[in-house]
Amino acid sequence: MDTLFTKIINREIPAKIIYEDDQVLAFHDIAPQAPVHFLVVPKKPVRTLNDLTEDDKALAGHILFTAQRLALELGCEEGFRVVMNCNELGGQTVYHIHMHVLGQRQMHWPPG
Ligand code: AMP
């Protein structure tokens, strides 16, 4: 069955899309936790970070690089945070890996 994010990738569900290429889609989070909060999602539907394989190493790098480039384009040059939640204990709710990018407010540590 398609994940929620596959449906967004396939334009079956609307989203505020920021960027797309052959490997990833980036769009604004529907429930933003910061003035800038978007997700970078691979088109390949990997369930969790635990399911990444050696073959996905370039894809993982592309997700991170896309996050950095879009964060800078969206005005987060003073700082931002990236988060990837893994499985239930990690707080994951959508089982299609994605990188959160949050910016334009002060972040705190430790996270909740
Ligand atoms: P996680 O809890 O790490 O799996 O993150 C899932 C994220 O997806 C949450 O921050 C949600 O707010 C976000 N989300 C859920 N549905 C949508 C949607 N239709 N469009 C954009 N973001 C969504």
Side-chain angles (χ1 to χ4, degrees), residues 23-86:
Q23 296 179 77
V24 298
L25 187 74
F27 51 89
H28 291 285
D29 196 291
I30 203 166
Q33 301 301 310
V36 171
H37 184 182
F38 64 90
L39 305 173
V40 183
V41 181
K43 292 188 171 178
K44 179 178 175 181
V46 180
R47 252 181 73 76
T48 79
L49 270 182
N50 289 344
D51 299 303
L52 278 180
T53 69
E54 286 280 322
D55 290 343
D56 298 319
K57 281 162 93 172
L59 177 61
H62 186 61
I63 292 168
L64 185 60
F65 185 72
T66 303
Q68 176 250 52
R69 196 166 48 75
L70 295 178
L72 296 180
E73 279 179 19
L74 293 178
C76 299
E77 59 283 334
E78 285 183 58
F80 59 91
R81 178 171 290 177
V82 296
V83 174
M84 291 186 86
N85 297 323
C86 181

Side-chain angles (χ1 to χ4, degrees), residues 4-5 8 13-15 27-31 37 39 85 91-94 98 100:
L4 172 64
F5 289 166
I8 289 177
I13 291 177
F27 51 89
H28 291 285
D29 196 291
I30 203 166
H37 184 182
L39 305 173
N85 297 323
Q92 185 172 2
T93 58
V94 177
H98 48 281
H100 294 258

Side-chain angles (χ1 to χ4, degrees), residues 80-112:
F80 59 91
R81 178 171 290 177
V82 296
V83 174
M84 291 186 86
N85 297 323
C86 181
N87 270 327
E88 195 176 343
L89 207 57
Q92 185 172 2
T93 58
V94 177
Y95 282 79
H96 181 144
I97 59 165
H98 48 281
M99 182 169 283
H100 294 258
V101 183
L102 302 114
Q104 290 192 354
R105 73 164 167 83
Q106 181 62 55
M107 295 296 156
H108 301 285
W109 198 263

